[in-house]
Amino acid sequence: MEAQPTTPAQLKYLATLVEKVGKERFDAEFAKAVKGTGIEPHAPWERTVTAAKRLSKAAR
């Protein structure tokens, strides 16, 4: 099965989750998710939604 692009609704949902858990936890979990993959960690200046988009795009 081929991976599908992330929809705007899914990104909105991810943004809502990030707001609930906080930026620090998002950063920690993002770092775990990208460790060893060659994907850059979440940059301090990068919006969390942008980072989530980047991660979901790389997963395809």
Side-chain angles (χ1 to χ4, degrees):
M1 181 176 195
E2 186 178 321
Q4 300 297 314
T6 307
T7 67
Q10 290 170 324
L11 288 171
K12 184 177 179 181
Y13 179 74
L14 286 172
T16 301
L17 288 177
V18 169
E19 288 175 16
K20 288 181 180 182
V21 301
K23 189 174 180 330
E24 294 79 20
R25 181 161 178 201
F26 174 81
D27 288 345
E29 295 299 326
F30 192 91
K32 284 184 203 176
V34 300
K35 186 176 182 178
T37 64
I39 300 170
E40 293 294 319
H42 181 223
W45 51 265
E46 185 176 34
R47 292 179 44 221
T48 53
V49 174
T50 304
K53 277 184 189 179
R54 188 166 49 86
L55 182 60
S56 63
K57 183 182 279 188
R60 286 191 260 154

